[in-house]
Structures are given as C-alpha cells and as structure tokens.
Amino acid sequence: MTQPQRPDLRKESGPVPTAPQPGSVLASDAEREEMIERLREATAEGRLTLEELAERFEAASLARTREELASVGRDLPAEATPPAAGAASRQRVFKALFGDLTTSSPALEEGIEVTAVLGDVTLDLCASPAPPSGAVTIAVRAIVGDVHLLLPEGVRVEMQCSKVFGDLRDLTRAHSGPDSATPVVRVTGSAVFGDIVLAHPSSDRRTYWQKWLDERRS
C-alpha cells in the first residue's frame, strides 16, 4: 500500500494588511455578504470548481476595499441565471478491488462513495464542479487498502470515521474564512487494516487569497 508524502504543516505567514490606496473605498460587511451570496448563486449555476469556490469565499471575506471585492466576481455575470434542467444526478461510486484507482475531478452533487479492498483509491477533488449547496459528503471504506483524498486549500473538513487497526490522517491546513461561508467536505466511514488520508495536492502552495492580496497591496 502506497503512503503519500506527509505535507509540511508549517504555515506561511499571511500578508500584512496595509492602508488602502488613495481614492479607494473600504468595503462594508453587507457588501462582503452580498458578494458571498453571488458566489453561492454562481455555484448553483455550475460556474465554479470546488477549489475556486473556496478561494473566492476566502477572498471575499478578507477583501478590505470595494475594488478588491469587485475583483472576486469580475468574471461572473451581474445577475444569476436559473440552472439548466438536466438529468438527475446520482451518487458517484469508486471502487478499487485488488488493484489501484486514481481519478480526478469527479462530480460532487450527490456525494461520493469510495471503497478500497486490497487496493488504493486516490481522488483529486480540486477541479471538481462545486456542489450547489457548497457541501459534499464522502463515504469511505478502506479495508486492507488506502483511500487518499486530495482537497483544495480553504475548505472546511469534517472527518467522522472509525478505525480498526487502521489509521485516519487529516493533513489539510485549517481554513481562514468564516464557517458560514466556507465549503464543507464531510468524510464518514471506516478504516479496517487500512488508511484514510486527507491532504492538499501540494505541500508548499500558498492559498489563492494570499497571492491575490499580495498583488493588490504591494
């Protein structure tokens, strides 16, 4: 069974807040909440990936000026459009039985079920379309096998799993946005002589909002 390299958990210091540029107007809490609501609507329309949703929620929560706040949704339409009617979504099921399975960008609307029996499953969810509710539940069973979930930075992780001679490892870094406006990934299930590991794809990646604020406040 493969073992992913443990990310470096030392956090980089965030950007030091600076005074707004001359002529800029400070954003209000109501304006930040309005942008967060527009991001929720864009998510329901299928416009954002899980990673983009986490990044933009974080950026909107930390924006200090109207200019910074407007940049968060500059590429979104001014008004929400009803999502197109389509076929009913079904829960995605991934199984590795006596072998390995690696998948990127699975759909998340109805949640995911993952089973690894004498094999390993690796799912990269960063580029997955964000679920309309902003939350996804992943049911995991690792039986003499490993399940590795790669999650974007900025999501809130809730791990509710049991283990029997197995291991549960949440190597993700804590999000910095408010809980009420942060995408949630809930992981349930059990590890029996196997591992369930949650991590970020890169151990040294700075979150988008840090780069975003650095560019606008330098």
Side-chain angles (χ1 to χ4, degrees):
M1 293 180 288
T2 59
Q3 296 291 336
Q5 183 178 1
R6 185 183 181 92
D8 184 357
L9 300 185
R10 293 173 299 178
K11 299 188 69 172
E12 293 186 3
S13 59
V16 178
T18 58
Q21 296 297 320
S24 61
V25 178
L26 294 175
S28 67
D29 288 341
E31 289 169 330
R32 279 185 281 269
E33 183 55 39
E34 182 179 352
M35 176 57 70
I36 288 173
E37 183 58 33
R38 179 65 194 99
L39 294 174
R40 291 193 182 102
E41 294 171 351
T43 301
E45 297 161 8
R47 299 183 187 276
L48 302 175
T49 66
L50 183 62
E51 183 172 35
E52 290 170 337
L53 179 63
E55 290 171 344
R56 296 192 191 210
F57 269 167
E58 202 168 30
S61 300
L62 295 168
R64 299 186 64 225
T65 67
R66 287 179 175 176
E67 181 182 10
E68 291 177 353
L69 192 58
S71 298
V72 177
R74 186 160 289 161
D75 56 352
L76 298 177
E79 296 182 0
T81 56
S89 299
R90 297 186 302 172
Q91 185 180 50
R92 266 52 179 186
V93 178
F94 300 92
K95 296 182 179 180
L97 308 178
F98 302 96
D100 296 342
L101 173 66
T102 299
T103 302
S104 297
S105 310
L108 306 176
E109 293 94 334
E110 299 299 322
I112 291 178
E113 180 181 311
V114 185
T115 302
V117 179
L118 290 172
D120 295 345
V121 177
T122 299
L123 296 185
D124 185 346
L125 308 183
C126 294
S128 292
S133 66
V136 60
T137 298
I138 304 175
V140 177
R141 290 189 300 166
I143 304 173
V144 197
D146 295 345
V147 174
H148 306 148
L149 302 178
L150 303 181
L151 309 177
E153 301 228 22
V155 299
R156 176 161 55 94
V157 175
E158 297 179 359
M159 196 174 190
Q160 302 170 351
C161 299
S162 61
K163 62 180 180 178
V164 179
F165 298 105
D167 195 11
L168 307 174
R169 286 182 284 168
D170 180 2
L171 307 181
T172 60
R173 287 179 281 278
H175 66 92
S176 59
D179 287 351
S180 61
T182 302
V184 181
V185 177
R186 300 185 180 94
V187 182
T188 64
S190 59
V192 181
F193 290 97
D195 297 344
I196 299 175
V197 182
L198 314 182
H200 299 309
S202 174
S203 62
D204 59 357
R205 176 183 176 276
R206 292 192 309 158
T207 58
Y208 171 84
W209 70 265
Q210 288 177 318
K211 298 178 184 177
W212 182 83
L213 288 177
D214 282 348
E215 291 174 358
R216 286 159 180 76
R217 294 179 178 177
S218 60

